[in-house]
Each structure stands twice: as structure tokens, then as C-alpha cells.
Amino acid sequence: MPPVKTTGLVAKSCASVLVGGLIAMPSPSGTVAAPEYSTSEAGNPFVDGWYAGPDTARYDGRYWVFPTTSKSYAEQTYLDAFSSTDLVHWTKHSEVLKTADVPRDMTNLVTFPDGSTYKEITPADYVEGPQMFKRGGKYYLMWSEGGWTGPDYSVSYAISDSPTGPFEKIDRLLAQDPPVAKGSGHNSVINVPGTDIWYIVHHHHHRRPLSETDGNHRQPAYDRMYLNPDGTIRRIQMGVKDNFADGNALGGRTYGGSWSADGGRYRAGHSLGGKALLDTDFADFTYDADVRLGSGGGDAGLNFRVNRPSVGVDGYTGYYAGIRRDGRVVLGRAADSWTPLATAPTSLDPGSTHRMRVTAVGSSIKVYVDDMTTPRISVTDGTYRSGANGVRVFDTDASFDNVAVGPVR
């Protein structure tokens, strides 16, 4: 186990940001293939459990995340750590640090040339969670602002030529994305060595499920961070993807049927209406997934704009688009019973993987199979306007892969 990294460059104070003279110790690094993703391709949250305020480091070719345990204050007495070589497969290291093992908060601070031990650099609107990194001779300071349990919790940033500032806010970088998460903040960053690939590692309050009301139900996530030619950072677009390469389907809830993630796919046993849902709340979107039918005479496909889910053949309100073994695409809506909206023929090989896409804009719903330019089904139905996305089977087993939900395209 590596030691817990202490940079000392920025004190993580909830009242102000102080730059101290404590020297940052470099970490050894190995060589691994550069992971280049648009978000956590194997799904956010990328590890299981309630965690917050993730810090990051890299040792001997492994990426490390050190989050706080998101429990009541009195219970926050230890740190778990998570490590990965590829930002996909994560190993949990339990209780790498306990408060009882920490000798008595530092005995000495290195001073600045003028004899001072710290410099005040607190930017406007600062609340907590500072993070500083250096790129291209510039110093980037990030911090969280807003209320940590509220929808206004967010991450802003500033750039300076010096680690002591001045730092003036440039933009709010990461903020609530209502279809995906509330109250995202308290971040760290990962730079893939030898590249200009950057990720922002953060936590979401109620990342999934959105319906959680406990303020400590926070989950770690990461998304790609893109820098513009002038050195500024694009606003973060939170991604909803899962290729199941990590062997789990964290962030989803199942309602009936049997579900497992293995072999890089999400597998559903034969059932009459079993479904697995992300607790997203998209209104207008493009939703893609790979679908492979198994044995059985029924269909498998995509749920969307789902609310009030329960176990049962049509135990929800919302829509479903599926492909059938008899070579048909079906679209309908459910409200504890089934209302067909449209069917269309398509060329299907039940043993092969077929790409499905649903694009919904207001009352316009389009369903694509394999051909992403011409919809197989196009209808107008405005019964349900927003809700969760997921996958479903009816009278068959099936498997799913490469799930992605995002803005209309």
C-alpha cells in the first residue's frame, strides 16, 4: 500500500484557502496505456458505496482515489481507497487510514522567503474543497460553492501565473445536471501522464438515485475535462454511459427478473417484463444501447420516460421500444397495462447484436434499429414527458451493452 499523499499545496479549509510552504512530494509513476474516455465508460458511480470529497494520486502506474466516507460526522473515522490501472476496473482498499492512527493535525511548516507560513488566496464565492494543479505554466485553482446538500452545489475555477494568485473566478465548471445528478462538487483532477487528457473526479449528491433524500447519500463519479486552446476549461457535460466492462451495473435498480453483469454485457434472464432502470430524469434525449435477443419468443429493448416503476409485466408509466424474434420493432406505452403505438418490420438476426436508438423531443418519438439515419418507427405521443431510462425483456432472455443517454443528436 502506498502512503496517503499529502501535497500541502492547498489546505482544504471550509473557511478559506491558504497556500502554505509545505513542499509537495512527487509521486513515482509507471507506464500504462492512456485511458481516453468521454466519461466513466463503465458507468458512474464508478465504485459502490456512499463516498464524498474524492482526492486523487498516482503511484507506480496506478490511479488512486481517496474519498471521505459519507456518513454522519461522528462516523467519519476512516478512509477507504480505490485503485485502478485503467480507470475501469477498481480495487477497494478498506480503511487505509484511521483517525486513531494519525499522530497529532503537523509540527512544522516550511516558510516563504518573506518568513510567512501561508498566503491568503481565497476567491469570491468560495465555500470549500479547493484543488490546485499546474498546466502549461499556469496554476488552476478549483473550489466548491453553494450548499453541499443543495442543488446549487457546484465547482468553479480560476487561473493564475502564480500559486499565490491572484485568483479571479472565470466560470462555474461543474453544476447540477437535473436529468442526471444534483449537487455535484468537491472535486479533484486526474491527468494521464505524458498526455493532455484530464478528468474531473467529483461526487454527486443523489447522483443515483435522484430520489434519495439523505444528504450523505453521495457517490463518486468522474467525467472528461476538456481544455480550450486559450487554456480555459469547457463546462463539464456529465455523461451517462455503461459498457459493463467492470462487471457491474452500479447505479441501476431492477424490477423483476434476474440480472447480472458479466463478460462485458448486462444479462437478463427470461421473464415477463423484468426491467432495470437508471434513476435518470431525461425529457428530451438520444438513448443508445446494443441489444441481443436470447431464447424465447418475445422481445427486448429500451424503457424511457419511466415513472412509478414496480414489479410486473407493465408495472410502470412510460414507454418501451423493443425488437422481437419475429423481425418486428415494437413501440408502446405502459400504465399498468399496455397500449401499442406502432410496429414495423426490420431485418433481425436473433443471435446477433443489434444497435437500438430512441430519440425523443417533446411528443416526437423515433426508434432506430441498426440504421441510425432512418427511423423504423416515428410517432407523436405526448402522454409522458420525462423519467428514467432502462432496459427490459418480455418472454425472452437477452443481453445489453454500450448504454448511453444524452442530449438529442
Side-chain angles (χ1 to χ4, degrees), residues 52 296 316 371:
Y316 62 99
D371 177 1

Side-chain angles (χ1 to χ4, degrees), residues 222-347:
Y222 73 83
D223 291 285
R224 185 69 176 269
M225 190 171 74
Y226 296 96
L227 289 100
N228 299 312
D230 64 358
T232 57
I233 308 174
R234 296 187 213 168
R235 290 188 176 183
I236 302 298
Q237 175 70 57
M238 281 187 263
V240 179
K241 289 188 175 183
D242 203 336
N243 63 11
F244 307 104
D246 55 0
N248 66 56
L250 297 176
R253 287 183 174 178
T254 62
Y255 301 85
S258 59
W259 299 85
S260 63
D262 62 81
R265 301 185 71 86
Y266 196 32
R267 303 179 188 277
H270 185 286
S271 74
L272 295 176
K275 53 191 173 291
L277 303 175
L278 297 171
D279 201 353
T280 49
D281 190 22
F282 280 94
D284 298 343
F285 58 86
T286 294
Y287 176 19
D288 290 314
D290 293 338
V291 182
R292 182 188 296 169
L293 292 168
S295 59
D299 48 78
L302 313 183
N303 273 132
F304 54 100
R305 291 181 175 172
V306 171
N307 289 281
R308 297 197 295 108
S310 63
V311 175
V313 176
D314 299 308
Y316 62 99
T317 62
Y319 299 97
Y320 167 73
I323 54 174
R324 295 182 55 87
R325 292 185 66 85
D326 61 8
R328 287 187 296 153
V329 186
V330 298
L331 173 66
R333 67 171 185 261
D336 300 318
S337 63
W338 178 250
T339 300
L341 296 177
T343 64
T346 190
S347 177

Side-chain angles (χ1 to χ4, degrees), residues 97-140:
L97 182 67
K98 300 179 182 179
T99 54
D101 299 329
V102 179
R104 300 209 169 204
D105 295 333
M106 233 185 289
T107 59
N108 188 37
L109 287 174
V110 177
T111 60
F112 285 96
D114 63 4
S116 62
T117 56
Y118 66 86
K119 303 287 187 182
E120 175 71 56
I121 62 169
T122 308
D125 300 324
Y126 172 84
V127 172
E128 63 178 350
Q131 171 74 27
M132 186 181 286
F133 67 92
K134 185 179 181 181
R135 174 188 179 270
K138 301 288 186 178
Y139 294 85
Y140 291 72

Side-chain angles (χ1 to χ4, degrees), residues 344-370:
T346 190
S347 177
L348 292 179
D349 178 356
S352 298
T353 297
H354 296 276
R355 188 68 168 170
M356 290 194 68
R357 170 175 292 174
V358 173
T359 296
V361 181
S363 60
S364 171
I365 300 173
K366 296 179 180 180
V367 182
Y368 303 77
V369 179
D370 295 328

Side-chain angles (χ1 to χ4, degrees), residues 167-249:
F167 288 102
E168 295 185 7
K169 179 176 174 178
I170 293 176
D171 193 16
R172 180 174 290 180
L173 177 65
L174 178 70
Q176 159 174 293
D177 190 350
V180 181
K182 301 176 185 176
S184 301
H186 207 143
N187 75 290
S188 187
V189 296
I190 288 175
N191 174 230
V192 179
T195 75
D196 203 27
I197 300 171
W198 296 83
Y199 296 97
I200 183 168
V201 184
H202 51 103
H203 71 240
H204 294 300
H205 291 285
H206 329 308
R207 162 78 192 203
R208 294 188 186 130
L210 287 173
S211 54
E212 288 286 349
T213 57
D214 189 327
N216 281 312
H217 284 187
R218 297 173 285 180
Q219 298 173 304
Y222 73 83
D223 291 285
R224 185 69 176 269
M225 190 171 74
Y226 296 96
L227 289 100
N228 299 312
D230 64 358
T232 57
I233 308 174
R234 296 187 213 168
R235 290 188 176 183
I236 302 298
Q237 175 70 57
M238 281 187 263
V240 179
K241 289 188 175 183
D242 203 336
N243 63 11
F244 307 104
D246 55 0
N248 66 56

